[in-house]
Amino acid sequence: MPIQPADWEAWYQEGDTPWDLGGPTPVFSRLIREERFAPGKLLIPGAGRGYDAIAFAQAGFAVTTVDLAPSACAAMRERAKAAGVELEVRQADFFTLNETAAYDLALEYTFYCAIDPGLRTAYRDQMARLLKPGGLLVGLFFPLNRPLAADEPPYGVKRDEVEASFKECFDLVHAEFPAESIKPRRGNEILMIWRRR
């Protein structure tokens, strides 16, 4: 049976959130320290409890987050308030966002692998619509060693399939296997930075 929106809320309420690192993603923290991207409007779908969103907001980005789970959104708002930063937190379905060319950057981590694989082309198209021409999709694509046809998320990701799909409307400007990946994910995720044409 396909994953339902209510499933995500149930997992948050039960604390069954193994994707949650308990803090900002080390790779994204490094990119912030390096000032790799000029601050601008940043979209984070599937933002969870908002650790990365807060880190980017603290670095001067105007951050919009999207998540289906009310508990995740509530936690994100509380963390942002405690950190003294502003976030636009939307409890919504990423696929229903109707802006066009609204964002300078988008962040991807554990969202692409959480949606039904049949929606991945729609994800690419939605990202292309939401990002400004020249805007960047900064993604950690994970997990590379899990079958695509897993019974539940995270669904497997293949680098060549991501590249074949995204090159339709994006240019790949950087790819690496980050040294900072947490130990269970090291070598199992790839950082890819795509520029919207």
Side-chain angles (χ1 to χ4, degrees), residues 143-178:
L144 301 177
N145 67 358
R146 184 171 168 88
L148 179 65
D151 292 334
E152 62 181 19
Y155 300 109
V157 175
K158 300 297 181 192
R159 177 180 181 174
D160 58 348
E161 292 175 2
V162 172
E163 290 182 349
S165 175
F166 277 75
K167 73 179 184 181
E168 296 294 321
C169 40
F170 291 84
D171 293 316
L172 182 62
V173 296
H174 180 79
E176 67 174 270
F177 289 95

Side-chain angles (χ1 to χ4, degrees), residues 4 33 61 99 128 135-136 152 183 186:
Q4 302 297 316
R33 286 193 308 272
F61 290 79
E99 299 106 317
L136 298 175
E152 62 181 19
K183 190 174 180 180
R186 196 165 298 146

Side-chain angles (χ1 to χ4, degrees), residues 42-48 50 53-54 63-67 73 76 87-92 103:
L42 171 63
L43 174 68
I44 308 179
I54 290 166
V63 182
T64 297
T65 67
V66 182
D67 204 286
C73 292
M76 205 179 327
L87 299 179
E88 182 181 350
V89 179
R90 298 185 190 177
Q91 182 191 329
Y103 298 95

Side-chain angles (χ1 to χ4, degrees), residues 28 41-47 64-67 93-113 115 119-141 162 165-171 192-197:
F28 296 150
K41 291 185 66 177
L42 171 63
L43 174 68
I44 308 179
T64 297
T65 67
V66 182
D67 204 286
D93 182 340
F94 165 75
F95 293 98
T96 67
L97 300 183
N98 60 14
E99 299 106 317
T100 300
Y103 298 95
D104 301 293
L105 296 101
L107 208 63
E108 163 56 45
Y109 196 33
T110 68
F111 182 69
Y112 187 80
C113 67
I115 61 174
L119 293 173
R120 288 180 173 175
T121 299
Y123 169 101
R124 178 204 67 199
D125 292 344
Q126 177 72 326
M127 278 295 186
R129 192 170 65 80
L130 292 166
L131 282 166
K132 297 175 182 177
L136 298 175
L137 170 60
V138 181
L140 270 173
F141 289 89
V162 172
S165 175
F166 277 75
K167 73 179 184 181
E168 296 294 321
C169 40
F170 291 84
D171 293 316
M192 304 175 86
I193 301 175
W194 293 91
R195 180 176 288 117
R196 173 73 170 99
R197 287 200 289 273

